Amino acid sequence: MSVTERPFIDTWTAEMAVTLQRAFRMTNDAFAEHLGIAVRTVAGWHSHRTIVPRNHVQQILDLAYEGARQSVLERFTHLLQQKGEPVPAAPNAVPAAPKPSSHPQPAPATDPVVAQMAADMALMQARIDSLQEKLGALALRVLT
């Protein structure tokens, strides 16, 4: 893959989102702020690597990825290769032959419905946390 080609990401998984976070060299707090999502969501990705984020979070990850500097893209690609993950080809690229992996692949979620429910619950909890923060700030303003 040439340096100017950006691998095409069809569907983000929590594992790939965490890899993008590592490529940006950001903490959970900084990455959540960069994406405009709750820290708890980012932390959940670290715990549940097989989660597939909901569509609006997929779009947020797409925007962060598309806006990344070249050095971040190169680091992201390198980290995927280190993990033995296949690097998605750019849309017009010729696919490379798959390399044998020396790392065991994580088992896929046993039930996609359960994985989606876990993702939905993490997102709902992130929204609850955000609302609680806003409510706390509002209460402070009212009391002062």
Side-chain angles (χ1 to χ4, degrees):
M1 173 181 319
S2 84
V3 177
T4 58
E5 290 177 351
R6 188 173 296 266
F8 176 74
I9 309 298
D10 183 45
T11 302
W12 289 94
T13 62
E15 180 71 36
M16 290 183 79
V18 168
T19 303
L20 183 63
Q21 176 187 0
R22 286 187 60 208
F24 272 106
R25 297 179 190 241
M26 292 182 175
T27 64
N28 287 2
D29 290 337
F31 195 54
E33 184 176 329
H34 181 71
L35 298 177
I37 62 175
V39 176
R40 187 177 184 110
T41 301
V42 175
W45 293 339
H46 288 266
S47 302
H48 307 286
R49 301 280 177 120
T50 57
I51 288 175
V52 175
R54 298 191 69 158
N55 286 340
H56 74 281
V57 177
Q58 294 276 334
Q59 293 170 350
I60 291 169
L61 288 165
D62 286 343
L63 289 173
Y65 177 65
E66 290 163 7
R69 293 184 323 270
Q70 187 64 35
S71 60
V72 173
L73 172 65
E74 290 171 4
R75 211 169 12 258
F76 177 72
T77 303
H78 176 73
L79 290 168
L80 286 178
Q81 290 170 338
Q82 263 187 335
K83 292 178 180 187
E85 296 284 328
V87 177
N92 296 329
V94 176
K99 291 193 265 182
S101 174
S102 60
H103 303 286
Q105 296 298 316
T110 54
D111 185 347
V113 173
V114 172
Q116 187 60 50
M117 287 173 63
D120 291 346
M121 287 174 47
L123 183 60
M124 282 188 264
Q125 187 61 54
R127 289 179 179 158
I128 290 169
D129 291 346
S130 176
L131 289 171
Q132 285 176 333
E133 289 174 17
K134 289 177 183 176
L135 184 60
L138 180 61
L140 284 175
R141 275 190 268 155
V142 168
L143 294 174
T144 55

